[in-house]
Amino acid sequence: MKYTVKYHLEQFEGISAALQGYTKNCVISFLDLYQKVKRNFPEVKMVSKEQRKYLGQRMTRIATEHKMILRPCGEGTELAAFGADCNGCMTQQIYENAIHMSLDMPKKQSLRKECACYLGNDIGAYNSRPHMCKYCYANYNEKSVLLNRINHNPKSAFLIGDDMPNDKVHKAVQKTGNSG
């Protein structure tokens, strides 16, 4: 089997070494077995609690050695005991640290109870990922992806195809402010 725990740790070490000095945050997540994933990837196995802890402990150590913070995404707090920051991977504090200023942000509602991130929105369109990763929750099946790829218009403002008679397009007001 190619994708062993050892393989993942070796790959993580290599990626961490290559990114040292270029990033401060490393976000990880373990595979979620959505029904679509089970259907598209029948040989997939759940990552056990013991494996998550083992990987999390070692990945936290590797990240720390390379001057990064390991931030599990939607994984609860079980890796906090090893030094991982389980407070969210895209929090208001992280945004403010990145842009070196305070933000006056409205209250938010999490999309999922596991997610502590401020902006928890998917970007993209379902059934449009041409790489066909078996673990991707965004693809229902290959036939739908192929149809959407055929309908893709790179000159359109839409992700897939063009505007249709029943589409409703809303203009989103964007505001910027300088508080702090």
Side-chain angles (χ1 to χ4, degrees), residues 34-41 126 134 137-140:
Y34 298 107
Q35 289 304 315
K36 292 176 270 190
V37 173
K38 289 179 188 177
R39 182 185 61 239
N40 294 333
F41 195 2
Y126 284 102
K134 292 180 174 187
Y137 70 90
N139 285 341
Y140 301 147

Side-chain angles (χ1 to χ4, degrees), residues 138-170:
N139 285 341
Y140 301 147
N141 60 56
E142 192 170 347
K143 183 178 177 181
S144 298
V145 173
L146 293 174
L147 181 62
N148 280 335
R149 298 302 295 171
I150 289 167
N151 291 325
H152 175 64
N153 176 359
K155 294 182 179 174
S156 172
F158 293 91
L159 293 172
I160 301 295
D162 292 294
D163 60 324
M164 302 298 282
N166 292 329
D167 286 342
K168 292 180 182 175
V169 179
H170 303 275

Side-chain angles (χ1 to χ4, degrees), residues 17 25 34 38 51 59 72 76 82 119 122 128 145-146 149 154 164 174-175:
N25 296 294
Y34 298 107
K38 289 179 188 177
Q51 288 174 319
M59 291 174 127
F82 308 118
L119 297 173
D122 287 339
S128 64
V145 173
L146 293 174
R149 298 302 295 171
M164 302 298 282
Q174 303 295 315
K175 297 180 187 177

Side-chain angles (χ1 to χ4, degrees), residues 22-112:
Y22 295 102
T23 188
K24 294 177 185 173
N25 296 294
C26 176
V27 179
I28 66 164
S29 184
F30 297 106
L31 181 67
D32 291 312
L33 294 182
Y34 298 107
Q35 289 304 315
K36 292 176 270 190
V37 173
K38 289 179 188 177
R39 182 185 61 239
N40 294 333
F41 195 2
E43 65 273 21
V44 71
K45 301 279 187 271
M46 184 74 170
V47 181
S48 72
K49 184 174 186 170
E50 293 77 29
Q51 288 174 319
R52 288 193 313 269
K53 285 182 157 185
Y54 181 84
L55 284 163
Q57 182 178 27
R58 279 148 186 80
M59 291 174 127
T60 301
R61 181 186 45 78
I62 292 167
T64 301
E65 288 171 359
H66 294 287
K67 300 175 180 31
M68 290 183 260
I69 298 167
L70 190 78
R71 299 181 188 278
C73 178
E75 299 297 334
T77 60
E78 72 183 7
L79 301 183
F82 308 118
D85 184 336
C86 300
N87 294 315
C89 53
M90 293 305 297
T91 63
Q92 181 173 345
Q93 184 65 50
I94 293 170
Y95 289 125
E96 291 174 344
N97 290 344
I99 63 173
H100 307 290
M101 64 184 292
S102 295
L103 297 170
D104 182 20
M105 299 168 82
K107 293 188 187 237
K108 60 100 183 176
Q109 179 85 20
S110 295
L111 290 179
R112 300 181 324 269

